[in-house]
Amino acid sequence: MAEGYHRLQVKVGLDVNDDIARLEAVRAAVPSSTVLFCDANGSWGTAETRRFLQATRGLDYTLEQPCASYEENLAIRPACDRPLVLDETIDGADALLRAIADGLVDGITIKLARVGGLTKAKLIRDIAIARNLKITIEDTGGAQIDTAAYCGLLLSTPEALRQHTVDFHNWVTVANGKADFIIVDGSVTPPKGVGLGVDVDPATFGEPIFRS
């Protein structure tokens, strides 16, 4: 909070009672204006999800990927009276179109590596824009090149539909280039320059492999 971040992701998906207590503690500790996401990463079944939803009905948060399968998430949708975001389930344009047709999602998280790169991520993003869904764009992890790629794609998304991203280049100990990211008050500005704006260090990619 002191660094200016106004969105937090609370990891849940373990013991439901512990998860409830964790969310209550975080909600009580941060300003009421702080946006909270509860991300189970598909670790709950439908019974656990319903228990969590019922116990936290008085708290303000968005629920992300409670169950692993599409069918389980669809089953709990009627019990979810708050925004529901899917991440792992949305692995392509077809999955998103199905979720839209079923009235399943209020928003999506797009990870570049999971959907197959920038071109496919942009297609999914454009479908979400057309249906007025909230959009998070990030990845499963990465360094400077990856962060620059998904930040650029998120910045080309209408501001009203942007949820958030993550500065993964600050989460790793090995850089794959130099880039002048600016992070102020919880917001990241991607590097300027040609392409992604990253001065790539070839040494981080190891020796080239040649095949005949």
Side-chain angles (χ1 to χ4, degrees):
M1 296 291 97
E3 293 177 6
Y5 289 87
H6 53 272
R7 287 173 179 262
L8 297 177
Q9 186 181 82
V10 182
K11 285 296 183 182
V12 293
L14 302 172
D15 178 83
V16 176
N17 292 329
D18 290 345
D19 290 331
I20 293 166
R22 183 177 301 108
L23 174 59
E24 290 174 342
V26 173
R27 183 76 277 177
V30 300
S32 59
S33 59
T34 305
V35 177
L36 296 185
F37 276 61
C38 283
D39 186 3
N41 291 114
S43 296
W44 284 330
T46 56
E48 291 83 1
T49 304
R50 289 192 176 96
R51 279 186 58 204
F52 184 84
L53 285 166
Q54 183 175 13
T56 60
R57 199 167 299 281
L59 302 178
D60 182 19
Y61 67 94
T62 293
L63 182 61
E64 182 168 353
Q65 194 70 41
C67 306
S69 73
Y70 185 95
E71 290 74 18
E72 287 173 307
N73 287 303
L74 187 61
I76 62 92
R77 176 74 254 201
C80 186
D81 59 351
R82 60 195 62 255
L84 179 63
V85 170
L86 290 184
D87 178 354
E88 288 85 356
T89 295
I90 307 301
D91 57 3
D94 288 345
L96 176 55
L97 289 170
R98 181 186 177 193
I100 291 170
D102 287 339
L104 177 55
V105 290
D106 300 298
I108 60 171
T109 295
I110 303 170
K111 290 191 170 84
L112 301 191
R114 189 186 65 242
V115 303
L118 273 173
T119 300
K120 292 182 179 180
K122 181 179 181 300
L123 173 60
I124 297 168
R125 189 281 309 265
D126 290 347
I127 295 171
I129 290 173
R131 298 309 297 265
N132 205 37
L133 297 176
K134 299 294 186 179
I135 300 165
T136 293
I137 304 177
E138 52 181 54
D139 212 342
T140 53
Q144 283 75 5
I145 295 172
D146 202 30
T147 304
Y150 59 70
C151 282
L153 186 59
L154 186 62
L155 274 179
S156 67
T157 302
E159 186 173 0
L161 298 180
R162 294 179 211 155
Q163 292 190 132
H164 50 263
T165 190
V166 60
D167 52 341
F168 265 132
H169 66 287
N170 284 328
W171 291 40
V172 297
T173 57
V174 177
N176 55 23
K178 295 179 180 179
D180 58 342
F181 292 99
I182 300 172
I183 300 176
V184 178
D185 293 332
S187 296
V188 57
T189 300
K192 299 177 176 62
V194 177
L196 297 178
V198 179
D199 183 11
V200 176
D201 180 5
T204 64
F205 295 97
E207 293 297 323
I209 298 174
F210 298 98
R211 292 186 174 93
S212 58

